């Protein structure tokens, strides 16, 4: 079984980096091979430009996007890790989604709307917020965040998605953050491996 981890947090020492470390350890424990796509370290170019659109209309993509699509195709599991900014994903991740999960690769349009092409795959999405779970629930912003990435993106293109947000990360104590990392272990442990793996 293979996993692709798409990571979108700048720097080296954030809590998201701690989550990434815990995810890779958990995958190693389950003997699941993985490739980390650290978008900031890669200096990924996130702008979906006119050339990208022209290529898609011609049924092709640039070499860098073809490489990412191969990694996505080969992976049974997609893991996305990122902080929530402005109630959405960081721009670099939004651009990755725009440029990589293209029409004809991740989905196609039929008479009743888009149909996902990345089926029989699992995804785990882990986000972090400064706001508390109570504040997000009271304002409805918790559903805004999850609907964008789960319903509006990954489920639409075929993934079976598990979503987890860790709230108020800067304001909780070390014990609470360790509990969050333990939950990361549990999430990864729930991955269904193909028969014979």
């Amino acid at each position: 079984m293979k996993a692709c981890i798409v990571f979108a947090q700048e720097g080296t020492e954030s809590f998201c980096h701690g989550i990434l470390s815990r995810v890779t350890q958990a995958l190693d424990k389950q003997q699941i091979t993985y490739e980390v796509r650290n978008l900031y370290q890669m200096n990924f170019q996130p702008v979906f430009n006119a050339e990208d659109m022209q290529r898609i209309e011609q049924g092709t993509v640039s070499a860098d996007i073809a490489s990412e699509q191969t990694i996505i195709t080969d992976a049974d599991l997609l893991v996305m890790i990122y902080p929530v900014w402005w109630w959405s994903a960081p721009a670099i991740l939004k651009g990755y989604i725009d440029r990589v999960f293209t029409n004809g690769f991740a989905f196609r349009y039929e008479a009743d709307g888009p149909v996902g092409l990345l089926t029989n795959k699992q995804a785990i999405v882990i986000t972090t917020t400064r706001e508390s779970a109570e504040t997000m629930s009271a304002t409805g912003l918790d559903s805004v965040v999850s609907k964008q990435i789960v319903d509006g993106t990954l489920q639409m293109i075929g993934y079976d998605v598990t979503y987890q947000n860790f709230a108020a990360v800067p304001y909780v104590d070390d014990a609470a953050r360790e509990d969050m990392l333990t939950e990361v272990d549990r999430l990864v442990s729930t991955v269904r491996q193909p028969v014979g793996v």
Side-chain angles (χ1 to χ4, degrees):
M1 183 173 186
K2 295 181 180 179
C4 172
I5 304 171
V6 180
F7 183 77
Q9 170 74 75
E10 85 289 356
T12 58
E13 299 180 357
S14 70
F15 187 65
C16 279
H17 287 85
I19 293 170
L20 174 62
S21 177
R22 206 62 169 254
V23 166
T24 59
Q25 290 172 34
L27 291 172
D28 285 336
K29 186 175 181 180
Q30 294 195 63
Q31 299 183 329
I32 298 173
T33 61
Y34 57 85
E35 187 157 351
V36 178
R37 313 306 291 155
N38 186 325
L39 302 185
Y40 284 96
Q41 284 187 359
M42 292 165 57
N43 197 28
F44 181 79
Q45 195 290 99
V47 178
F48 184 85
N49 58 32
E51 289 182 2
D52 289 322
M53 180 62 77
Q54 290 168 0
R55 287 189 180 101
I56 289 171
E57 290 172 348
Q58 295 165 2
T60 64
V61 292
S62 60
D64 61 329
I65 298 307
S67 177
E68 296 302 314
Q69 289 182 343
T70 297
I71 293 168
I72 294 293
T73 298
D74 290 346
D76 308 286
L77 171 67
L78 173 66
V79 181
M80 288 187 170
I81 305 167
Y82 61 93
V84 172
W85 293 345
W86 295 104
W87 308 112
S88 186
I92 198 167
L93 177 56
K94 177 60 167 66
Y96 185 91
I97 292 168
D98 287 347
R99 296 192 67 214
V100 175
F101 294 95
T102 55
N103 183 8
F105 167 71
F107 65 95
R108 67 172 178 265
Y109 283 105
E110 295 187 354
D112 294 330
V115 174
L117 301 178
L118 297 174
T119 55
N120 301 315
K121 294 177 181 288
Q122 301 169 74
I124 298 174
V125 179
I126 304 172
T127 59
T128 61
T129 57
R130 298 177 65 89
E131 290 73 20
S132 69
E134 294 77 14
T135 296
M136 293 174 66
S137 177
T139 58
L141 290 168
D142 54 348
S143 63
V144 169
V145 173
S146 64
K147 279 186 176 296
Q148 288 181 66
I149 190 63
V150 177
D151 301 342
T153 305
L154 296 179
Q155 281 185 355
M156 188 197 82
I157 61 178
Y159 283 94
D160 179 7
V161 187
T162 299
Y163 174 72
Q164 174 68 57
N165 180 64
F166 294 118
V169 169
Y171 308 116
V172 298
D173 59 22
D174 289 343
R177 281 189 285 272
E178 183 58 35
D179 287 344
M180 294 174 182
L181 294 175
T182 299
E183 177 62 11
V184 171
D185 293 337
R186 189 198 67 77
L187 288 171
V188 177
S189 74
T190 65
V191 170
R192 301 179 310 280
Q193 297 206 36
V195 175
V197 175

